[in-house]
Amino acid sequence: NELGRSFRLFAHQAEVLRLAFQFDAEGKLLWDTIIFSCDKKSGKTTLNAAITCWWAFTQEAPNELLILANDFEQAQARVFKSLTALITKNPELACSAKMQAKQIELTNGSTITVLASEYAGSAGSNHGLSSWDELWAYDTESDLRLWEELTPVPTRKNSVRFIPTYA
């Protein structure tokens, strides 16, 4: 985890994620929007960071991954911070990653970028994964436009929205 300690998924987490990230015979996901809902303070941020990390290192490289939250500071301070710690604490991953303030570049060509909640600057991305933290607070016209701009990309084999939230 982000503290450098081993961790395991709970049985219910493993089952939900197994079903959510199930690939068909051609390697295509069955879903393009995955909502993972559980209680507050139940490890959603760490789970989000771990899924983002897994996707970046294993899926369709080079790939573009996007991390969003209510505002840039929240996105950077929570999921991105946990993700950089996960990678830094794992020497096998750290040697393949160049960490920057707003982006991680992997040697496989994939990038993980923190975005501000601003739709105009997000137009035209070719993302394989977008991670939406605290989506419940997206309530403005600008937020709706961001959601629309970052729709799953139909020309990619897999492009998915991952939305961790609380019940």
Side-chain angles (χ1 to χ4, degrees):
N1 65 14
E2 62 270 19
L3 301 174
R5 298 184 202 130
S6 296
F7 72 97
R8 290 188 194 276
L9 296 174
F10 291 112
H12 70 279
Q13 291 173 323
E15 180 63 10
V16 168
L17 294 175
R18 183 188 68 75
L19 294 170
F21 288 98
Q22 189 172 5
F23 295 90
D24 67 15
E26 286 79 43
K28 185 150 175 59
L29 282 173
L30 303 178
W31 320 103
D32 66 6
T33 301
I34 298 166
I35 301 172
F36 186 90
S37 180
C38 53
D39 297 335
K40 285 186 173 188
K41 307 299 178 197
S42 60
K44 292 183 301 299
T45 298
T46 299
L47 186 64
N48 190 353
I51 288 169
T52 302
C53 186
W54 164 74
W55 192 276
F57 279 96
T58 65
Q59 301 302 308
E60 300 178 54
N63 209 327
E64 184 178 351
L65 292 84
L66 308 173
I67 297 174
L68 301 102
N70 298 336
D71 58 39
F72 179 79
E73 290 77 23
Q74 184 181 26
Q76 189 175 36
R78 294 212 175 83
V79 177
F80 190 75
K81 182 179 177 183
S82 291
L83 175 61
T84 57
L86 284 174
I87 293 171
T88 303
K89 300 288 183 181
N90 185 325
E92 293 179 31
L93 300 179
C95 68
S96 299
K98 179 181 173 188
M99 308 287 192
Q100 300 170 16
K102 300 177 186 177
Q103 187 175 70
I104 300 169
E105 296 177 13
L106 303 181
T107 56
N108 69 6
S110 292
T111 58
I112 306 164
T113 307
V114 180
L115 292 183
S117 294
E118 188 267 315
Y119 68 90
S122 302
S125 73
N126 186 26
H127 55 280
L129 179 99
S130 59
S131 161
W132 298 76
D133 198 36
E134 307 294 351
L135 185 63
W136 61 268
Y138 284 68
D139 59 1
T140 67
E141 177 68 23
S142 180
D143 294 337
L144 179 60
R145 287 184 174 197
L146 178 64
W147 177 260
E148 291 170 348
E149 283 297 337
L150 295 179
T151 190
V153 180
T155 56
R156 292 193 67 92
K157 184 176 188 177
N158 287 300
S159 181
V160 64
R161 289 174 168 152
F162 182 68
I163 305 159
T165 188
Y166 59 87

